[in-house]
Amino acid sequence: MKVKVLSRSEIEWTGELDGRGSSSAAPRRQQYNYDPKLHPMERAVEQKRALNAAKLERVFAKPFLAALSVHVDSPYAVKRSRVSTAHALSCAADGAVAVWNLVTKEPRWIHHSAHEAFARDVVFTAIPSMFLSCADDRTVKLWDVDLTERRDEQNMLDDYDYRSRIPGAAVRKNGDMAGSSAGESFLSPRLHTPLGQAEGGLKHRNRMVPSHVFMASMPLSSVDAHWRDPSLFVTSSDAVELWDVGRSKPIQRLSWGADAVHKVRYNPVEQNLLASLGADRSIVIYDVRLKTPVRKLVLSMRSNAVAWNPIEAFNFSVANEDHNVYTYDMRKLSRAKGIHTDHVRAVMDLDYSPTGTEIVTGSYDQTVRLFDLRDEQFGRRSREAYYTRRMQRVFGVNFSADAQMVMSASDDGDIRLWKAHASIPTKAQLPRERDAIDYAEKLKKRFQHVPSVRRILKNKFLPRPIHRMQNMKKVMKDSARRKNLNLAAHSKPGAIPHVPDKMTNIVRELE
């Protein structure tokens, strides 16, 4: 039992007493006495509190927030805004593209026929109201949509025209872009407006016609925009192509061995670096300043998605077909920095939190998992696993801009919103509530190795098929491990070298 000893100065009241002997002023904050002699049962008490905190975390865990159901076909990509915490993008297999308001849980803008084929990827540009989409119809379309509700909320878009930052274009008095020497700019054509809207003003941005269309030579699999320069973006098809919005053809074309590139991503910190995934199971890092590939790593199985750490510029993670997520340091690609397990089928997509401390993954096993990179094993095991009965294979995941929510796009046609921390309420919290939550998290971290606490923290309720596949996967791993040990024990010393788990999936590294 804790005993708190207060001195006279700690309990005396501030302010003058009234005639009844009470004080109208608030008392001073009581100070805690840290003398260990006064708290002989401190560890036992805090261990019990940690056990209760672990139990209450499971009791109050309600991660599901909403299902955004507007797509007719399956959505295959979902992306957050780089500026606003309230907006997100999605694209579907029928060519539809939608802009979502995460506050109202409703679509802010949707175009059901944005592309004539499978819409593969979408991304916001450095301009808050503009985004890019690409599809199998070999087109990249640039859209300009008004994301504000009222005109008095046009802080940046009215006071300062971000479109004027695009090189090679001047702004007319009416807000349109003047033509350049090579022809009219990509924002200058006269465009149609939706039915019932007058032309001019701010409503001209909510149009159903793209600002500009770029034609590629091959079907496109992904697109990503530069994090600062709104005039640059990159696409992947049979090679990595760097585009400028002022030109109709790519300004650079990069490739290294692969006959197809299915994913490419800009580094958000070192913004001249690109990472791409090829059909030959390769991971290639490019530097656009050198106009040539820099390093290449070939894995034993194909990778489906790549994401850069937004805080540590040299770290990136890939979602692999072997059910794992691998984190690499691009300065040393000979071994993985971390392996994130727990999925039982191919991992299709992943994303870093804006703080760079967590990873969210979506898999073919119909689950969404969260990995904390701050734990002692660098997030080897997932801390949360989200699923619903109706959710099918997950093809796209993304964190919200405030790292409080997770978005997932699954094959059943819905985009689901989840809490990043299942038991923490989303409402505004008082300081005492925030302190209580932080105290409980510290207790769980301190006593996470106590068997009674560990059993509750590690236990996750999952569908029965996933449990069966986990047990089967464990049996296969144990069998392979015993086989290697037996081979090493009955062979000449040194004939079968020991290969760490972080190097088993690497085939070769090229520079």
Side-chain angles (χ1 to χ4, degrees):
M1 178 179 179
K2 289 187 178 179
V3 180
K4 188 179 293 185
V5 180
L6 302 178
S7 64
R8 181 180 181 86
S9 61
E10 291 172 339
I11 61 175
E12 74 179 358
W13 297 82
T14 59
E16 297 182 357
L17 298 176
D18 56 16
R20 294 174 295 179
S22 62
S23 175
S24 60
R28 296 178 181 175
R29 184 177 180 86
Q30 296 179 353
Q31 301 295 323
Y32 185 79
N33 195 326
Y34 291 97
D35 188 358
K37 296 180 181 180
L38 300 175
H39 309 289
M41 303 292 291
E42 176 185 3
R43 183 173 181 84
V45 171
E46 289 194 341
Q47 181 175 333
K48 183 63 176 178
R49 290 177 179 174
L51 180 60
N52 292 336
K55 292 179 180 179
L56 290 175
E57 180 186 16
R58 293 304 177 191
V59 170
F60 293 109
K62 296 181 180 180
F64 181 73
L65 293 176
L68 311 180
S69 303
V70 74
H71 285 293
V72 178
D73 209 335
S74 302
Y76 277 77
V78 58
K79 295 293 179 62
R80 66 174 179 266
S81 173
R82 296 179 176 179
V83 177
S84 172
T85 60
H87 295 103
L89 278 172
S90 66
C91 64
D94 59 352
V97 176
V99 181
W100 296 92
N101 190 325
L102 300 180
V103 178
T104 61
K105 311 295 190 300
E106 295 178 353
R108 182 68 182 84
W109 178 91
I110 184 169
H111 195 335
H112 289 286
S113 57
H115 289 275
E116 298 178 357
F118 199 129
R120 294 288 180 178
D121 204 0
V122 287
V123 65
F124 275 100
T125 65
I127 301 177
S129 63
M130 289 186 176
F131 62 91
L132 294 158
S133 64
C134 71
D136 285 348
D137 57 3
R138 302 185 301 171
T139 61
V140 180
K141 295 186 178 181
L142 179 66
W143 306 86
D144 186 10
V145 178
D146 178 24
L147 299 180
T148 55
E149 301 295 337
R150 301 190 305 271
R151 187 176 178 86
D152 55 4
E153 295 177 352
Q154 298 287 327
N155 297 329
M156 294 183 296
L157 297 180
D158 281 351
D159 299 338
Y160 180 78
D161 194 346
Y162 278 76
R163 293 174 294 176
S164 62
R165 296 170 54 187
I166 301 176
V171 183
R172 293 198 186 106
K173 294 182 179 180
N174 59 0
D176 293 334
M177 304 295 288
S180 61
S181 58
E184 286 197 346
S185 174
F186 69 99
L187 291 176
S188 60
R190 185 180 182 87
L191 300 171
H192 300 288
T193 57
L195 185 63
Q197 291 187 1
E199 194 171 1
L202 291 175
K203 291 186 178 181
H204 77 282
R205 292 182 181 171
N206 289 339
R207 53 197 174 222
M208 296 300 171
V209 178
S211 298
H212 195 66
V213 179
F214 303 90
M215 291 296 300
S217 58
M218 297 289 289
L220 300 171
S221 56
S222 69
V223 62
D224 197 23
H226 197 277
W227 284 80
R228 288 186 183 177
D229 193 345
S231 63
L232 295 178
F233 65 93
V234 64
T235 60
S236 63
S237 53
D238 58 335
V240 175
E241 295 179 334
L242 183 65
W243 299 74
D244 191 322
V245 295
R247 300 184 182 183
S248 60
K249 298 294 182 181
I251 59 177
Q252 287 188 32
R253 183 177 174 87
L254 306 170
S255 63
W256 190 356
D259 55 355
V261 180
H262 54 269
K263 198 69 68 174
V264 62
R265 289 292 179 262
Y266 266 111
N267 191 319
V269 182
E270 294 292 338
Q271 298 170 3
N272 291 309
L273 295 181
L274 300 171
S276 69
L277 305 178
D280 59 347
R281 313 186 308 277
S282 64
I283 305 170
V284 183
I285 298 176
Y286 301 94
D287 192 336
V288 297
R289 295 167 296 185
L290 301 176
K291 301 182 180 181
T292 182
V294 179
R295 305 190 70 178
K296 182 177 181 179
L297 181 67
V298 180
L299 305 182
S300 59
M301 297 189 72
R302 161 180 158 151
S303 298
N304 295 317
V306 60
W308 291 92
N309 192 316
I311 303 300
E312 300 173 348
F314 41 82
N315 289 339
F316 65 93
S317 298
V318 293
N320 203 267
E321 286 279 345
D322 63 358
H323 314 168
N324 296 332
V325 174
Y326 298 95
T327 297
Y328 292 96
D329 189 332
M330 68 177 181
R331 300 169 298 182
K332 185 180 180 181
L333 295 177
S334 59
R335 62 186 296 145
K337 186 176 181 180
I339 304 176
H340 316 288
T341 62
D342 278 350
H343 281 295
V344 295
R345 287 190 178 181
V347 186
M348 304 306 297
D349 197 14
L350 80 161
D351 184 46
Y352 273 92
S353 67
T355 58
T357 58
E358 291 182 324
I359 295 177
V360 60
T361 61
S363 173
Y364 217 73
D365 61 7
Q366 306 173 12
T367 61
V368 175
R369 292 184 181 267
L370 290 162
F371 298 87
D372 192 349
L373 303 181
R374 295 168 295 183
D375 66 4
E376 59 183 12
Q377 295 185 353
F378 196 70
R380 184 178 183 89
R381 305 298 299 271
S382 61
R383 66 170 180 85
E384 294 289 353
Y386 297 156
Y387 74 97
T388 63
R389 290 184 177 181
R390 295 185 178 184
M391 188 165 71
Q392 299 299 316
R393 299 163 295 186
V394 181
F395 288 97
V397 291
N398 211 246
F399 267 98
S400 62
D402 56 358
Q404 299 300 315
M405 291 188 298
V406 169
M407 299 170 283
S408 65
S410 56
D411 206 15
D412 60 318
D414 286 347
I415 296 172
R416 290 177 173 83
L417 297 182
W418 312 84
K419 289 193 292 187
H421 300 274
S423 60
I424 297 179
T426 57
K427 66 176 183 178
Q429 300 168 1
L430 296 174
R432 292 183 63 183
E433 294 176 322
R434 185 69 258 174
D435 293 342
I437 293 173
D438 294 341
Y439 180 54
E441 293 295 328
K442 292 292 184 180
L443 288 177
K444 288 184 291 184
K445 184 176 180 180
R446 179 183 179 185
F447 296 97
Q448 61 182 340
H449 299 296
V450 176
S452 59
V453 179
R454 183 178 67 244
R455 178 179 59 84
I456 298 174
L457 294 179
K458 299 299 182 182
N459 186 27
K460 298 180 179 63
F461 297 96
L462 293 171
R464 187 175 298 175
I466 294 181
H467 277 298
R468 289 202 206 99
M469 296 184 69
Q470 284 180 340
N471 295 333
M472 185 185 303
K473 191 175 177 181
K474 183 177 182 300
V475 170
M476 294 169 63
K477 284 186 175 181
D478 293 341
S479 176
R481 187 178 297 110
R482 287 196 307 269
K483 180 179 179 180
N484 292 333
L485 291 177
N486 292 334
L487 286 175
H490 296 84
S491 301
K492 184 178 179 180
I496 301 179
H498 171 69
V499 180
D501 292 340
K502 295 181 179 180
M503 301 176 63
T504 54
N505 69 316
I506 297 176
V507 177
R508 63 182 180 275
E509 179 186 0
L510 302 174
E511 293 185 4

